[in-house]
Amino acid sequence: MTRRVIQFSTGNVGRESLRMLIERPDLELVGVHASSPGKVGQDAATLAGLAEPTGVLATDDRDALVALGADCVVFTAQAETRPEEALADLCAFLAAGSDVVSTSFVWLVNPAGADAWLLGPVEDACRAGGSSLYVNGIDPGYSGDTLAYAALGLAGTATKVVVQEIFDYADYDDGDFTGVTFGFGRPADADPVMMALPGVVASVWGGSVRLLADALGVELDEVRDRWENWHTPTRIGCTMMDVPAGGVAAVRFAAEGVVDGEPVIVVEHVNRLTETAAPDWGYPPVGHTGVHRVRVEGHPGIEINSHVGLGDVATTHAGVVSTAARVVNAIDAVCAARPGVLTVDDLPVNLVGRVMS
Ligand SMILES: NC(=O)c1ccc[n+]([C@@H]2O[C@H](COP(=O)([O-])OP(=O)(O)OC[C@H]3O[C@@H](n4cnc5c(N)ncnc54)[C@H](OP(=O)(O)O)[C@@H]3O)[C@@H](O)[C@H]2O)c1
């Protein structure tokens, strides 16, 4: 069955999902939302970097898109920095009966841990429209669920699970959002960025920790977080930004599920700008600039290293493409699923869609 789909927003992730919606034979692009005046009125193909026009023009008229009654909306608008506005857009589609797959609102990767201000309205909207919402991505998302499940499925016994993203973000052209959010470039005496404040990392990645704890039947005493900055002794110039000497050029942070004082389920990030930064913090395997890794301690002990981006595709760009693919590949299953806010556990194990045609 061909699903009629709307792409909502054409930023880093949205451009990639838009391209998939245009190219995939099992999906029909019926609408595109863009907020920037320069994008409104442009053909979807132009916004996706494709040559052949689709005839679908970008609009900033949300209600006109809602009225199309699409089967599904791929929602990739910036949400964490403008939650109220984005939530109103998201709920308008859900309440009108369109299902939504989203990379935005990362707190909803595990809805059980989401705050009432967010979960309440989306649950109400799903109820009103008989629709479903699925939020996922590569991290948070894949690394802490599908990848971790794959590793745990090979374990006889497990005493500790560590999920890691170790990525060199130097060539990631996202200084305005990731750069600012992670605090890259800031001097040692600057106030902590929002992400480094107590509880924030646990609110974003703690959902993955709790999802694994639930799957394993582990009762956690708490989910706590930690954050470290690494300051470069010399200037670092890279695509993400120019970091002066003394500025933050790497961060390491984690959400830790704790039992009896010991972290037993850990979701950790090491993000550096160039390989010279934070030399003591661990690296991807030789030949790679990024890895999503799951390490299970126990018997026999398991480690899976997952790399996106082969050949000349930069790992950071590949992460963005795979984040988009992660939700586009779930469209058919989400359309077939029960109404409500879904997790990966509500969907079939193998979600590949018609990626080969
Ligand atoms: N879980 C994961 O692995 C993962 C990975 C990456 C990103 N994410 C999440 O996915 C979302 C998108 O990330 P991104 O990197 O694509 O972000 P981005 O490049 O900043 O793009 C976000 C888009 O949101 C739209 N937008 C921004 N302000 C708006 C406004 N005032 N009104 C309406 N639309 C507005 C814009 O769309 P137009 O340009 O079309 O106007 C913008 O391009 C974020 O919520 C991010 O946290 C998750």
Side-chain angles (χ1 to χ4, degrees):
M1 179 197 293
T2 304
R3 302 287 188 188
R4 298 174 64 249
V5 187
I6 288 169
Q7 173 61 44
F8 196 99
S9 103
T10 59
N12 287 329
V13 179
R15 258 192 315 274
E16 301 303 330
S17 46
L18 179 58
R19 174 186 277 253
M20 292 168 203
L21 300 185
I22 294 169
E23 291 185 331
R24 283 265 297 263
D26 54 334
L27 304 171
E28 180 193 357
L29 179 73
V30 295
V32 183
H33 185 279
S35 63
S36 329
K39 293 182 177 178
V40 172
Q42 291 212 36
D43 192 282
T46 310
L47 297 174
L50 296 171
E52 198 177 324
T54 62
V56 179
L57 305 184
T59 176
D60 59 0
D61 185 344
R62 179 199 74 194
D63 294 339
L65 290 172
V66 170
L68 292 175
D71 296 314
C72 194
V73 177
V74 181
F75 192 88
T76 58
Q78 182 48 250
E80 290 78 22
T81 56
R82 44 182 288 277
E84 284 181 17
E85 228 183 315
L87 185 56
D89 290 336
L90 178 67
C91 288
F93 287 103
L94 291 169
S98 292
D99 296 323
V100 177
V101 298
S102 174
T103 64
S104 317
F105 289 113
V106 291
W107 305 283
L108 289 172
V109 165
N110 182 1
D115 288 344
W117 67 264
L118 175 58
L119 191 56
V122 292
E123 282 182 334
D124 288 348
C126 287
R127 215 171 290 119
S131 53
S132 35
L133 167 67
Y134 175 60
V135 177
N136 211 270
I138 195 165
D139 186 311
Y142 158 80
S143 59
D145 51 57
T146 302
L147 184 66
Y149 290 165
L152 286 163
L154 301 174
T157 58
T159 53
K160 183 171 181 176
V161 188
V162 179
V163 177
Q164 288 180 306
E165 174 181 297
I166 307 178
F167 256 59
D168 185 338
Y169 279 177
D171 65 2
Y172 190 11
D173 189 7
D174 196 31
D176 290 346
F177 180 63
T178 302
V180 170
T181 324
F182 283 36
F184 289 127
R186 289 162 68 89
D189 58 0
D191 288 338
V193 286
M194 166 82 91
M195 276 266 287
L197 295 176
V200 177
V201 165
S203 89
V204 175
W205 282 271
S208 300
V209 171
R210 292 188 194 280
L211 196 74
L212 286 178
D214 287 348
L216 293 165
V218 172
E219 272 199 37
L220 299 174
D221 299 330
E222 61 167 329
V223 177
R224 68 187 183 201
D225 50 26
R226 56 180 162 80
W227 182 285
E228 293 160 87
N229 291 322
W230 184 88
H231 298 90
T232 178
T234 55
R235 175 190 164 272
I236 289 177
C238 61
T239 306
M240 174 73 82
M241 65 170 60
D242 229 33
V243 182
V248 173
V251 295
R252 178 165 66 176
F253 59 84
E256 300 182 330
V258 177
V259 176
D260 295 334
E262 289 299 317
V264 294
I265 302 176
V266 178
V267 176
E268 181 179 64
H269 266 230
V270 173
N271 296 120
R272 50 169 59 87
L273 301 182
T274 78
E275 64 180 359
T276 59
D280 298 331
W281 283 0
Y283 285 90
V286 173
H288 294 278
T289 55
V291 64
H292 289 102
R293 171 181 292 157
V294 174
R295 187 181 169 85
V296 179
E297 292 178 14
H299 190 67
I302 293 131
E303 182 176 295
I304 304 182
N305 290 303
S306 171
H307 305 285
V308 289
L310 301 178
D312 59 2
V313 181
T315 306
T316 47
H317 177 61
V320 172
V321 177
S322 292
T323 293
R326 183 84 178 147
V327 294
V328 171
N329 288 335
I331 288 174
D332 200 51
V334 170
C335 288
R338 64 164 174 85
V341 187
L342 308 172
T343 73
V344 73
D345 296 336
D346 295 302
L347 301 178
V349 173
N350 298 316
L351 293 176
V352 290
R354 294 277 302 277
V355 293
M356 191 177 277
S357 57

